[in-house]
Amino acid sequence: MIRYFGWKVNALDVEESIRQHPEVSQTFVLGIADEHTCQRVAALIVRKPVASCGSFKLAALRRWLAIEQKLPAFKLPTMLRTISKGDPIPMTDSGKPLKKKIEDVYFRLHPVADRQVEIWDITTQEEGMGNR
C-alpha cells in the first residue's frame, strides 16, 4: 500500500492499468518516500522489444492512464523509469519482485541525479483531464 497525500494507493491496481499500455511488457509500482507527499507513486516500466524508438514520457503515460484507463489522479505515477527487456530486475528465488531492491537500484540518488528517472511536478495542472 502506498500513502500519497493521505490517499491509500494499491500498487497492484496501478500495475494492472499500466500493463494495458501497448508498449509495456512489465511494470512494477512502488512507493518512494517523499517529504511533501509521504510517498510518491513510482513506476518502473519494462518496454516491449518492438516498442517504438521514441522515448516513453511520464506526462503521456499519466494522460493515457487517466483518459483510457480511467485511473483517478491520486493513483497516477509521479515518478517513472523505463528499462529494456534485458535489464536485471531484483527478484526472489520464486520470481517475486524485491521492491525495496528495485527502489535502491532504479530510483535512488544516482538515477535521479543522472535524469534516468522522470519526476512529475505535483503542482502542475493537467489540461483536458478534468478535476481528477
Side-chain angles (χ1 to χ4, degrees):
M1 195 63 60
I2 300 167
R3 299 287 298 190
Y4 178 71
F5 277 123
W7 295 93
K8 290 182 183 177
V9 178
N10 185 328
L12 297 176
D13 291 345
V14 181
E15 286 176 2
E16 181 58 34
S17 293
I18 294 173
R19 258 189 233 105
Q20 304 306 311
H21 194 282
E23 293 188 25
V24 173
S25 173
Q26 284 182 288
T27 186
F28 304 94
V29 173
L30 52 149
I32 305 290
D34 181 77
E35 63 186 69
H36 303 292
T37 64
C38 190
Q39 290 181 307
R40 283 185 170 265
V41 180
L44 175 67
I45 291 179
V46 181
R47 293 184 70 184
K48 289 183 179 176
V50 294
S52 65
C53 296
S55 61
F56 199 86
K57 295 292 184 188
L58 180 57
L61 176 66
R62 287 173 58 88
R63 183 174 216 56
W64 182 85
L65 287 169
I67 294 170
E68 299 295 325
Q69 297 294 306
K70 310 285 190 249
L71 208 62
F74 70 91
K75 289 185 178 184
L76 298 175
T78 57
M79 295 180 81
L80 175 68
R81 172 87 188 260
T82 58
I83 60 174
S84 301
K85 187 83 169 159
D87 290 338
I89 299 168
M91 300 274 196
T92 65
D93 291 336
S94 62
K96 293 182 180 177
L98 293 167
K99 290 196 174 183
K100 184 64 182 147
K101 286 197 178 197
I102 289 172
E103 177 182 351
D104 292 341
V105 171
Y106 290 110
F107 289 98
R108 280 295 163 208
L109 185 59
H110 294 295
V112 172
D114 294 342
R115 296 187 178 186
Q116 296 173 340
V117 175
E118 192 176 354
I119 300 175
W120 186 255
D121 178 357
I122 56 175
T123 63
T124 302
Q125 295 295 318
E126 297 166 295
E127 287 189 37
M129 291 174 49
N131 293 329
R132 300 188 52 72

